[in-house]
Amino acid sequence: MATTELGQALRRWRDRVPPGSAGLPEGGRRRAAGLRREELAMLAGISVDYIVRLEQGRATRPSPQVVEALTRALRLDPDERAHLFRLAGLAPPGPETVPGYLTPGVQRLLDRLVDTPVVVLDATMTLLVANPMYAALMGDPSTLRGLARNRVWSHFLGAPGRVRRTPEERWEFETRLVAELRSVAGRYTADPRLRELIDELRARSDRFGELWDSGAVGRVESSVKTIDHPDVGSLTLDCDVLRVDGADLRILVYSAEPGSEAAEKLRLLSVLGTQSLTSHRPA
């Protein structure tokens, strides 16, 4: 019964989301005003086949990560989110686990900042959602899965990104990354995904282990970043870190001084999008 209700709920919520509100084109013939299955799959970062199986009741136990992704893509409110978790046979996340909920206010902010690169991270600095301008600037993150979506993991264990740093800037950035993660670990002591992330980083990165063992706590601050883009060249941008305390989210907003060369390059990127970009890992 719960599986049938899960499929019905997903279909009902999918039908009520106008494509335009999710940043998708609204043209063309549609049988319903809401999202198509392939559009929901793209927004949630899961396969169309899995959406079909969930709606038809052939998939019975989506993971918490999938449920959170569907919550964001379907723009569910807190009560609907909790209901979706229960329909999936899961307990809604409690205060001892890292929140992964994108609040309506943050979603509206993303909808309005269409010409500005913006990415939203949870408390562990795992990427929740990025707008098209961020993908154009840093590389499309939609193919990243699992720990590869985490900013700390990608810095210490992933391929080089597009941000250029001096040795001193890199040392400062790494110190703040680890100090913030340690602060987060102190707040969410029972979160298994956070523990998995820390264990893997300590096992595979000597630099992370050294910084972790130092015991420092703190947080990543706003900064100025130089980004080497494969198509438009070097851009120096302000990267402001906005924090949503109730949901424990971090919103990274990249901007340029009006009239500057970097501002012109951002305007060019808004036209190029990701069409002509070579494949690079986001930073």
Side-chain angles (χ1 to χ4, degrees):
M1 184 64 173
T3 301
T4 301
E5 291 178 4
L6 172 62
Q8 290 174 345
L10 289 175
R11 178 60 185 267
R12 182 170 62 251
W13 287 327
R14 178 165 64 83
D15 285 345
R16 77 178 186 184
V17 180
S21 71
L24 299 171
E26 298 186 85
R29 300 185 59 177
R30 288 177 175 269
R31 289 183 295 177
L35 296 174
R36 298 186 177 105
R37 284 171 172 154
E38 58 269 24
E39 292 170 335
L40 175 57
M42 180 189 69
L43 291 171
I46 58 182
S47 71
V48 178
D49 176 67
Y50 194 53
I51 295 290
V52 172
R53 289 190 288 125
L54 284 171
E55 290 191 354
Q56 294 180 348
R58 294 187 289 115
T60 60
R61 292 285 180 176
S63 69
Q65 294 90 341
V66 167
V67 174
E68 286 288 19
L70 289 169
T71 293
R72 293 190 293 272
L74 293 167
R75 302 180 175 221
L76 304 185
D77 65 30
D79 290 336
E80 292 168 335
R81 172 179 177 259
H83 185 56
L84 179 56
F85 269 91
R86 287 190 284 268
L87 289 178
L90 299 167
E96 72 282 359
T97 58
V98 175
Y101 177 61
L102 201 68
T103 65
V106 172
Q107 185 63 68
R108 287 192 293 270
L109 179 66
L110 284 170
D111 292 342
R112 284 160 176 75
L113 293 176
V114 293
D115 295 325
T116 303
V118 182
V119 62
V120 182
L121 313 173
D122 70 11
T124 69
M125 290 167 279
T126 294
L127 188 150
L128 298 180
V129 63
N131 70 355
M133 273 296 291
Y134 177 86
L137 177 67
M138 294 296 200
D140 187 0
S142 63
T143 59
L144 300 177
R145 298 290 182 269
L147 293 178
R149 295 180 69 83
N150 181 269
R151 201 169 182 226
V152 188
W153 187 98
S154 64
H155 178 82
F156 286 100
L157 299 177
R162 293 180 179 176
V163 177
R164 185 202 311 164
R165 296 183 177 95
T166 66
E168 293 78 12
E169 289 170 341
R170 182 181 182 88
W171 183 90
E172 175 67 17
F173 179 66
E174 290 175 346
T175 301
R176 289 188 176 274
L177 272 183
V178 179
E180 175 147 358
L181 192 64
R182 176 175 277 283
S183 297
V184 170
R187 294 199 302 276
Y188 301 104
T189 56
D191 191 296
R193 287 186 294 159
L194 177 55
R195 177 50 52 190
E196 176 192 3
L197 170 65
I198 294 168
D199 287 347
E200 174 153 346
L201 283 164
R202 295 192 72 184
R204 296 181 55 193
S205 171
D206 292 339
R207 173 65 174 153
F208 177 88
E210 172 192 341
L211 289 168
W212 185 265
D213 291 340
S214 73
V217 294
R219 65 182 193 173
V220 176
E221 303 288 353
S222 299
S223 62
V224 176
K225 292 187 177 182
T226 299
I227 297 148
D228 291 324
H229 193 278
D231 291 318
V232 302
S234 174
L235 304 85
T236 298
L237 303 173
D238 292 321
C239 176
D240 290 295
V241 183
L242 313 179
R243 295 173 186 268
V244 184
D245 290 338
D248 214 351
L249 300 175
R250 291 104 177 95
I251 307 172
L252 274 58
V253 182
Y254 294 80
S255 63
E257 182 73 22
S260 65
E261 181 182 0
E264 291 299 321
K265 290 180 177 181
L266 279 182
R267 274 193 284 274
L268 177 57
L269 279 179
S270 71
V271 176
L272 287 175
T274 57
Q275 296 179 56
S276 64
L277 306 185
T278 56
S279 177
H280 284 254
R281 182 185 64 81

